[in-house]
Amino acid sequence: MSTFTLTDTQCYHCGTENPKAPYQYDGKSFCCIGCQSVYQVLSSNNLCSYYTYNDAPGQTQAQSLQHYEYLDEPGIAAKLVDYADENITVVSFYVPAIHCSSCIWLLEHLHKLDKGVVHSRIDFLKKQVSITFKHQEISFRKLVELMVSVGYEPLISLQDVVKEKQQSVNRELIKRIAVAGFCMGNVMLLSFPEYLGLSSFEQQFRTLFTWLNLAFAIPVTFYSAREFFVSAVAGLKNKMVNLDAPLALIIAVLFLRSAFEIIAQTGPGFTDTLTGLVFLLLMGRWVKQRTYYHLSFKRDYRSYFPVAVTVLRGIREKSVAIEELAVGDRIFIRNNEIIPADAILMKGNATVDFSFVTGESEPVSKVLGEIVYAGGRQVGEAIELEVVKPVSQSYLTRLWNNDAFAEKDNSIQNFNDNIAKYFGIAMFVIAIGAAAYWFLQNDSARAWNAFTAVLIVACPCVLSLSTPFTLSAVLSIFDKNRFYLKNTDVVEQLARVDTIVFDKTGTITSPDAIGLSFSGTLTEDEKVMVASLARNSTHPLSREILRWLDPGLYFDVLAFTELPGKGVYGIIKSQQVIMGSPAMLASVSKMNLTKVPSVVHLEIANVYKGYFQLKQSWRPGLAGLFQSLSLKYDMHLLSGDNESDGNRLAEIFPNTQMHFRQSPQDKLDYISKLQTQDKKVMMFGDGLNDAGALRQSDLGVAVTDNINSFSPGCDAILDGRSLSSLPKFLLQAKDGVKTIRLSLCISASYNLIGVWFAVQGLLSPLTAAVLMPLSTVTIIVFTSVATHFFATKNSLT
């Protein structure tokens, strides 16, 4: 334990200069950005105690876990969580130890180790885990200690760990590689007399060299290879054989056998094999990490949440991309819109649905000045908030992948999960069987080679990682073409689609109406009242009316309510204002409005004022799109409007079944009926009136036009400008699945061939250690190249 004062110029652990810059100060602790060491303030004279997150030599696990006492401080924990309410907390950690499919399996099953953990989700490429837990059953500190106990210590910082560490090099891994490489070089040098058969001439030098080799093997075993043992023990504690278990066993046997032979003077041992094996395994891990990073696209689907947000600039509203949102911005959130960043409520009555975060649909009321967490959906009148925390697009995308919305089967991913779970056990059985066979043949050398080579060369990562890398590459291509899928599973769903259903308004119609008129007359005050009501809604027709009226000011709207498929109403200046279908109007019984074409009716203070009529245009290339899709897919069109556009639509969309006057429930029932006929249905809608149908479908796609509105239950977001590229997306998805099957064949062939030579004792452990990382990198490169080849063929590059 050492101390420092604020006048010191560098971190005691890593030497980071200028403590004012690298330390985050909260009054009780500091955190070094350079090495993540924590300095705990002991007294008011700035005297601090120092400790790091890594175990010091000789520390017990209990002593190590005491380092997390600072997480019991509510002020520190509050800065680290993504969301918290009276029942649950959501937090994200960067975990450097994540490196294989077994890591994913174990971390996603933390709920089996402690019932306080609700669920956890892994982002493998970013080495990030998002955990939802019940803080009344397990504290923040106990959660971290649970992760440490199973061998996955999180790197905790008061800053955004993922952003800070995403491009950084794992310095600890490089140190271990350097130690292993140095020791391997010296062991090889000292072993040359043994290799050349000269050791028998100088027995004294032979003894000295073997003892020196053992000395070099000690740091390699207990420092460089330490993570293999820690990971293996953690897995066994939780009744699981992970990928590091067989490697740890091999390293332990090599060291013990070498130590016995050298101490008993019965042989030179296997220190050259041991040091070379550890060096190559660590180098393979480093190569894979660098490959993962370089193949991870810059603006990937995990860190890009493709919706816009409305920022207030005085009385004017400006729609900006979510990544441009800054702390201090005043944002305007309408009914059903997502709150994109932690913000303070400044105006309006906030009733927030946090089902996007927690899966619970009970709305939560917020008062002025109260913080509202990112991911909540406003229900009711529009509100104004001030952003207090930078937007995290990766966090919003993780919310989109909330388990509450994940109900669809994925056979490929299930196959990979089974590989991770059972592969290690299968390889142990094969290795022990091969060794037993050669021992029975009185060939102990070949038995040893067979046992070690099988455990090293058999790599489930080659099988299990080919799928996510292929699908991630497909998602990067879709992302560049403005088609955003919430996760890799959706690509498989997209490839299996055989039926496509389109909503009309806001989906196939252009966002810009070519003509809008009002049948009656309105005073200036009434125009502002109508615009104020329309401003609270995200429906395409409301946006067009607001744009047409374009008032210079707005009135406050009370008791705002939006009924899907019907309309909106609210109290403005003590008068009830209603816009929508005839069913919404209080005066409808006195009038015959059923024959009026697709319009928006208006009523103020129980007096019918007239209707807004829009002449809508279709999106560019729509006729060619439907004609192309109808050749391969069963096409359907659903609309809540009447049949006035039926003849016009029939000319543009041949071979398409059309249904009008469809309520949101009718649309949902229609999708269900198609699914009973064994159809794989993809539904396109605006995410508002058809949210239920989107979720019911096998693949729901929300079509947006630069607005902050879509259904959390949808599987994808399509920019309206890219609708004409839909046939290309469907073809790319099928090619992606084809690439996966090819890579699985290659991977299976590699493992079978490698194991075939290994069980015969024809493959040395060192050769196997070289082949293991090379095989993984080869498959990853193949999937990436093949995916981009198909993208070029499909004109998506």
Side-chain angles (χ1 to χ4, degrees):
M1 180 76 69
S2 56
T3 62
F4 83 105
T5 67
L6 292 183
T7 58
D8 289 341
T9 59
Q10 62 180 208
C11 172
Y12 274 89
H13 183 61
C14 69
T16 301
E17 300 290 340
N18 188 7
K20 297 277 177 82
Y23 296 95
Q24 290 290 320
Y25 182 61
D26 62 5
K28 296 184 178 180
S29 64
F30 295 93
C31 183
C32 175
I33 295 175
C35 65
Q36 311 303 318
S37 301
V38 169
Y39 294 80
Q40 187 76 26
V41 178
L42 296 180
S43 63
S44 58
N45 64 356
N46 292 332
L47 186 65
C48 300
S49 64
Y50 158 77
Y51 52 78
T52 70
Y53 292 118
N54 297 319
D55 293 354
Q59 275 191 315
T60 66
Q61 188 181 66
Q63 291 172 326
S64 174
L65 292 180
Q66 290 178 357
H67 291 176
Y68 296 102
E69 290 178 351
Y70 70 96
L71 292 177
D72 289 330
E73 292 290 335
I76 295 177
K79 295 179 181 180
L80 298 171
V81 303
D82 295 325
Y83 171 84
D85 60 23
E86 59 184 14
N87 296 315
I88 70 165
T89 298
V90 180
V91 65
S92 301
F93 293 119
Y94 173 73
V95 185
I98 296 175
H99 67 280
C100 69
S101 51
S102 294
C103 303
I104 298 174
W105 187 89
L106 181 59
L107 285 172
E108 289 193 343
H109 289 77
L110 287 176
H111 61 276
K112 294 185 177 180
L113 305 181
D114 194 297
K115 64 180 181 179
V117 178
V118 179
H119 62 77
S120 50
R121 181 178 292 275
I122 306 298
D123 187 332
F124 180 79
L125 293 184
K126 290 186 174 181
K127 297 181 179 291
Q128 185 179 7
V129 56
S130 176
I131 302 174
T132 301
F133 64 97
K134 299 176 182 177
H135 49 247
Q136 295 176 346
E137 298 184 21
I138 179 172
S139 67
F140 192 104
R141 174 188 172 186
K142 292 297 183 184
L143 175 67
V144 173
E145 292 175 350
L146 172 65
M147 296 178 65
V148 174
S149 70
V150 297
Y152 294 96
E153 183 175 19
L155 189 60
I156 301 176
S157 169
L158 296 181
Q159 297 207 354
D160 187 344
V161 172
V162 176
K163 290 182 179 178
E164 292 292 332
K165 293 296 177 181
Q166 181 174 325
Q167 299 182 12
S168 66
V169 177
N170 190 331
R171 289 181 297 175
E172 185 61 28
L173 176 60
I174 291 178
K175 288 179 184 177
R176 295 201 306 271
I177 292 173
V179 170
F182 171 79
C183 294
M184 179 191 70
N186 283 280
V187 169
M188 295 292 184
L189 179 64
L190 295 173
S191 298
F192 261 105
E194 197 73 38
Y195 297 154
L196 300 176
L198 304 176
S199 58
S200 58
F201 296 102
E202 293 290 345
Q203 185 63 35
Q204 290 182 339
F205 282 107
R206 179 190 181 189
T207 303
L208 174 63
F209 289 167
T210 55
W211 277 100
L212 287 174
N213 284 345
L214 181 61
F216 282 121
I218 291 174
V220 173
T221 303
F222 294 97
Y223 172 68
S224 296
R226 178 176 179 271
E227 274 200 3
F228 295 109
F229 294 104
V230 172
S231 176
V233 171
L236 292 174
K237 282 182 179 179
N238 294 283
K239 300 179 181 179
M240 179 186 142
V241 179
N242 58 28
L243 298 186
D244 288 332
L247 299 178
L249 177 63
I250 293 169
I251 294 169
V253 172
L254 282 173
F255 178 78
L256 293 174
R257 182 173 175 180
S258 298
F260 174 79
E261 288 191 6
I262 292 171
I263 294 172
Q265 294 293 303
T266 59
F270 299 89
T271 52
D272 54 345
T273 303
L274 169 63
T275 55
L277 176 63
V278 173
F279 174 75
L280 289 172
L281 289 174
L282 294 176
M283 278 299 299
R285 186 164 291 185
W286 180 84
V287 169
K288 286 194 286 186
Q289 283 186 5
R290 301 307 299 171
T291 304
Y292 298 159
Y293 170 72
H294 286 297
L295 289 181
S296 178
F297 32 87
K298 288 184 179 179
R299 197 182 79 172
D300 58 36
Y301 76 101
R302 288 167 300 276
S303 61
Y304 184 67
F305 194 68
V307 293
V309 62
T310 302
V311 176
L312 296 177
R313 303 279 191 246
I315 64 169
R316 290 293 176 184
E317 302 171 2
K318 181 181 179 182
S319 184
V320 301
I322 200 170
E323 66 266 23
E324 298 175 12
L325 199 62
V327 173
D329 280 347
R330 189 88 166 228
I331 58 176
F332 187 76
I333 303 296
R334 301 175 182 83
N335 178 47
N336 276 331
E337 286 189 334
I338 299 298
I339 298 167
D342 292 356
I344 293 176
L345 179 63
M346 305 299 291
K347 183 179 180 181
N349 296 315
T351 305
V352 187
D353 175 8
F354 281 108
S355 61
F356 201 28
V357 182
T358 66
E360 300 294 332
S361 59
E362 186 68 28
V364 178
S365 297
K366 298 289 183 178
V367 298
L368 294 180
E370 189 173 358
I371 190 169
V372 183
Y373 285 103
R377 176 191 290 273
Q378 167 63 359
V379 180
E381 66 185 71
I383 57 175
E384 295 181 17
L385 305 102
E386 184 173 310
V387 177
V388 296
K389 186 177 180 181
V391 64
S392 173
Q393 298 180 73
S394 58
Y395 169 66
L396 292 174
T397 307
R398 287 198 306 275
L399 294 183
W400 191 12
N401 283 276
N402 192 318
D403 288 346
F405 308 118
E407 300 178 352
K408 292 158 188 175
D409 177 59
N410 185 348
S411 58
I412 291 180
Q413 196 59 45
N414 291 338
F415 171 68
N416 290 331
D417 291 342
N418 289 331
I419 289 176
K421 194 172 182 180
Y422 300 113
F423 195 93
I425 297 175
M427 288 303 100
F428 261 124
V429 172
I430 294 175
I432 293 172
Y437 173 82
W438 291 112
F439 272 121
L440 293 175
Q441 300 297 319
N442 296 320
D443 194 338
S444 59
R446 182 168 288 194
W448 174 246
N449 275 346
F451 179 76
T452 54
V454 167
L455 293 180
I456 296 172
V457 78
C459 181
C461 290
V462 181
L463 285 168
S464 60
L465 295 183
S466 59
T467 296
F469 269 99
T470 301
L471 299 181
S472 295
V474 172
L475 290 183
S476 70
I477 293 166
F478 285 172
D479 175 73
K480 293 172 184 175
N481 288 274
R482 300 187 293 271
F483 185 32
Y484 310 100
L485 277 59
K486 73 176 181 180
N487 57 41
T488 55
D489 299 353
V490 181
V491 178
E492 184 187 356
Q493 298 289 343
L494 188 62
R496 294 193 290 188
V497 164
D498 56 23
T499 302
I500 303 177
V501 179
F502 286 90
D503 179 46
K504 185 172 82 74
T505 304
T507 303
I508 64 174
T509 57
S510 172
D512 300 315
I514 60 177
L516 190 150
S517 60
F518 184 65
S519 64
T521 57
L522 296 171
T523 65
E524 290 303 315
D525 253 18
E526 288 174 337
K527 289 181 180 179
V528 176
M529 292 169 71
V530 173
S532 300
L533 184 65
R535 184 182 184 226
N536 284 260
S537 172
T538 56
H539 193 280
L541 298 181
S542 296
R543 297 202 312 273
E544 288 300 327
I545 293 172
L546 178 61
R547 186 184 309 171
W548 185 71
L549 291 170
D550 192 24
L553 73 159
Y554 298 100
F555 297 144
D556 290 337
V557 180
L558 303 178
F560 175 84
T561 304
E562 184 165 7
L563 301 178
K566 294 183 178 180
V568 297
Y569 67 86
I571 306 298
I572 306 174
K573 298 184 71 173
S574 301
Q575 299 183 71
Q576 180 172 267
V577 182
I578 302 175
M579 285 198 306
S581 66
M584 289 282 291
L585 308 182
S587 57
V588 71
S589 60
K590 304 175 184 178
M591 306 182 62
N592 182 15
L593 304 176
T594 57
K595 295 183 179 179
V596 180
S598 303
V599 295
V600 178
H601 300 280
L602 173 65
E603 180 182 280
I604 300 178
N606 293 328
V607 178
Y608 183 75
K609 293 292 183 177
Y611 58 82
F612 293 94
Q613 184 170 12
L614 294 86
K615 185 179 179 182
Q616 293 180 321
S617 60
W618 310 120
R619 294 187 185 273
L622 199 61
L625 169 67
F626 269 67
Q627 186 174 5
S628 173
L629 292 175
S630 63
L631 298 176
K632 298 180 180 179
Y633 298 92
D634 188 13
M635 303 291 293
H636 302 260
L637 179 66
L638 304 179
S639 174
D641 298 331
N642 58 34
E643 299 86 346
S644 58
D645 286 331
N647 293 332
R648 185 179 169 207
L649 288 168
E651 294 176 1
I652 302 175
F653 311 132
N655 305 317
T656 301
Q657 299 182 45
M658 301 183 190
H659 301 272
F660 299 92
R661 300 182 185 276
Q662 298 289 297
S663 68
Q665 184 62 44
D666 292 335
K667 295 176 183 178
L668 189 153
D669 293 340
Y670 190 84
I671 297 295
S672 299
K673 183 179 178 181
L674 290 174
Q675 290 174 325
T676 60
Q677 302 170 15
D678 293 329
K679 301 284 188 180
K680 299 298 181 183
V681 182
M682 177 163 61
M683 169 74 181
F684 286 85
D686 58 16
L688 301 173
N689 295 335
D690 40 33
L694 287 177
R695 184 167 183 177
Q696 177 62 39
S697 64
D698 296 284
L699 197 157
V701 182
V703 181
T704 67
D705 292 287
N706 201 34
I707 59 171
N708 180 14
S709 178
F710 76 101
S711 169
C714 71
D715 302 292
I717 301 172
L718 177 64
D719 190 304
R721 295 170 293 174
S722 297
L723 184 61
S724 59
S725 298
L726 179 57
K728 300 176 183 178
F729 296 140
L730 291 164
L731 191 57
Q732 183 69 30
K734 294 180 184 295
D735 289 336
V737 173
K738 186 188 303 181
T739 302
I740 291 172
R741 289 170 179 165
L742 288 172
S743 63
L744 289 176
C745 289
I746 296 173
S747 303
S749 299
Y750 159 79
N751 276 277
L752 290 173
I753 293 172
V755 171
W756 170 255
F757 283 101
V759 295
Q760 298 180 74
L762 303 177
L763 200 62
S764 72
L766 290 181
T767 303
V770 172
L771 291 177
M772 185 175 69
L774 286 181
S775 64
T776 303
V777 172
T778 300
I779 283 296
I780 293 171
V781 172
F782 165 76
T783 57
S784 180
V785 170
T787 302
H788 285 85
F789 166 78
F790 286 124
T792 302
K793 184 195 72 165
N794 297 328
S795 302
L796 286 175
T797 54

